Amino acid sequence: MIRYRIQELLAEKQFKEGRRVTLIELAEATGISRVTLSKMVNQRGYGTLTDHLDKLCAFFGCRIEQLAEYIPDSEVVKKAGNDK
């Protein structure tokens, strides 16, 4: 599964800039709909366009490996089992 680190990157940007940065601001700055961004943040395994990844990397000034991480399915199953 691919997990997007959008929330973490938003938090880092907020800390650096000393202001609140919302998904709405991110949507307006990148041209990616707020609904799509919300799905990327909240929906496990959500697939998106490489164009979106490109725009997010440009916005955050980061590399792709800072934006997304691979989590093996076996780890996802283990974590889900521990949530009970």
Side-chain angles (χ1 to χ4, degrees), residues 56-81:
L56 289 169
C57 285
F59 179 83
F60 290 116
C62 70
R63 298 176 52 89
I64 190 74
E65 59 269 18
Q66 295 169 297
L67 175 64
E69 68 177 326
Y70 170 71
I71 301 174
D73 289 339
S74 59
E75 286 186 32
V76 174
V77 171
K78 285 180 192 175
K79 287 181 182 179

Side-chain angles (χ1 to χ4, degrees), residues 14-76:
Q14 290 177 149
F15 181 77
K16 286 178 188 173
E17 296 183 5
R19 65 182 187 88
R20 187 162 186 242
V21 182
T22 65
L23 278 184
I24 293 170
E25 180 182 339
L26 179 58
E28 290 171 353
T30 61
I32 302 169
S33 78
R34 187 202 51 78
V35 172
T36 297
L37 291 170
S38 183
K39 286 179 181 179
M40 290 176 75
V41 169
N42 297 308
Q43 192 175 28
R44 281 186 183 208
Y46 182 77
T48 193
L49 303 172
T50 53
D51 185 53
H52 291 167
L53 301 176
D54 182 58
K55 289 177 180 180
L56 289 169
C57 285
F59 179 83
F60 290 116
C62 70
R63 298 176 52 89
I64 190 74
E65 59 269 18
Q66 295 169 297
L67 175 64
E69 68 177 326
Y70 170 71
I71 301 174
D73 289 339
S74 59
E75 286 186 32
V76 174

